[in-house]
């Protein structure tokens, strides 16, 4: 279940009031809520009209004042020109597509960074992967004769150990009748 949104009431004097904490907030506080992942809803205190879109746009423009990076001027001009509904829908679709693409790139970069970090943290595993890629495993048919030869040699050595050497008996055996 999704938590209830933080309801911010905007008064005629432009003051913003967080009704959940019973204190006044500013645009930076609202931006902080959103960065924390909270769902925020801004409403006009008198009429109840939803002002969320307008306020979030205001946060973006205030942020753009401080940092010259932001939306390109041509895009901003096109947003102003897009006064009819069809153009607005197209611009919104375009912005959503651009943001989705940006998110995919960010996710891919984060994934690759995770792989690099795990490789840095585990150099032995990295070397194993490199060695495994450099020398592909031998086919099973080539390994069989060598394995059979090793088994035969082990069997010969085991047989030698069991056989008494020069007629001597193994020291672990006791003769019957003698103490």
């Amino acid at each position: 279940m999704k938590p209830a949104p933080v309801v911010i009431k905007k008064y005629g004097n432009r003051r913003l009031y967080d009704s959940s904490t019973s204190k006044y907030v500013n645009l930076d506080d609202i931006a902080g809520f959103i960065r924390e992942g909270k769902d925020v809803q801004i409403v006009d205190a008198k009429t109840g009209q939803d002002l969320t879109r307008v306020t979030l746009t205001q946060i973006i423009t205030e942020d753009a004042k401080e940092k010259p990076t932001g939306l390109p001027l041509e895009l901003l001009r096109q947003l102003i020109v897009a006064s009819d509904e069809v153009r607005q829908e197209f611009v919104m679709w375009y912005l959503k597509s651009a943001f989705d693409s940006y998110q995919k790139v960010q996710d891919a970069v984060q994934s690759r960074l995770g792989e690099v970090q795990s490789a840095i943290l585990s150099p032995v595993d990295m070397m194993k992967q490199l060695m495994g890629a450099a020398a592909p495993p031998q086919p099973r048919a080539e390994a069989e004769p060598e394995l059979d030869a090793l088994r035969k040699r082990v069997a010969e050595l085991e047989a030698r150990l069991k056989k008494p050497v020069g007629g001597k008996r193994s020291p672990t055996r006791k003769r019957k009748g003698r103490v």
Side-chain angles (χ1 to χ4, degrees):
M1 185 173 187
K2 197 173 183 181
V6 176
V7 177
I8 309 289
K9 293 182 181 178
K10 186 171 186 175
Y11 289 93
N13 61 1
R14 296 177 159 211
R15 299 228 31 208
L16 300 163
Y17 184 76
D18 181 354
S19 57
S20 63
T21 61
S22 300
K23 66 178 189 175
Y24 286 100
V25 295
N26 58 30
L27 294 176
D28 289 337
D29 295 328
I30 294 171
F33 295 154
I34 292 170
R35 287 184 187 107
E36 291 170 6
K38 295 180 181 176
D39 188 20
V40 178
Q41 182 181 14
I42 298 100
V43 295
D44 185 289
K46 193 181 274 185
T47 65
Q49 179 184 5
D50 187 3
L51 302 174
T52 307
R53 186 180 312 267
V54 173
T55 307
L56 297 182
T57 304
Q58 185 179 359
I59 290 170
I60 292 169
T61 57
E62 290 295 321
D63 192 43
K65 283 181 188 177
E66 296 170 11
K67 301 172 195 159
T69 61
L71 297 175
L73 286 175
E74 189 55 37
L75 178 62
L76 294 172
R77 286 184 182 110
Q78 289 301 317
L79 286 172
I80 292 170
V81 169
S83 59
D84 69 343
E85 195 172 314
V86 173
R87 280 190 257 168
Q88 280 183 343
E89 286 178 17
F90 173 75
V91 169
M92 290 303 139
W93 169 83
Y94 176 79
L95 290 173
K96 184 178 180 334
S97 298
F99 184 75
D100 290 345
S101 297
Y102 172 77
Q103 280 297 114
K104 287 178 185 174
V105 169
Q106 285 292 91
D107 292 344
V109 167
Q110 290 297 328
S111 173
R112 293 296 294 168
L113 285 175
E115 291 172 13
V116 168
Q117 184 180 16
S118 67
I120 290 170
L121 295 176
S122 178
V124 173
D125 290 339
M126 181 70 153
M127 288 305 295
K128 284 180 184 177
Q129 288 178 352
L130 287 174
M131 296 304 284
Q138 292 181 344
R140 185 127 179 110
E142 291 178 16
E144 287 296 326
E146 189 176 318
L147 187 58
D148 289 340
L150 287 173
R151 285 182 181 149
K152 185 177 178 183
R153 182 71 178 140
V154 168
E156 289 173 5
L157 291 172
E158 286 177 344
R160 259 194 206 170
L161 287 173
K162 289 180 184 175
K163 222 187 262 185
V165 180
K168 293 182 182 177
R169 294 180 182 231
S170 129
T172 56
R173 295 175 102 187
K174 293 185 181 179
R175 292 185 188 178
K176 290 184 180 176
R178 289 193 181 173
V179 181

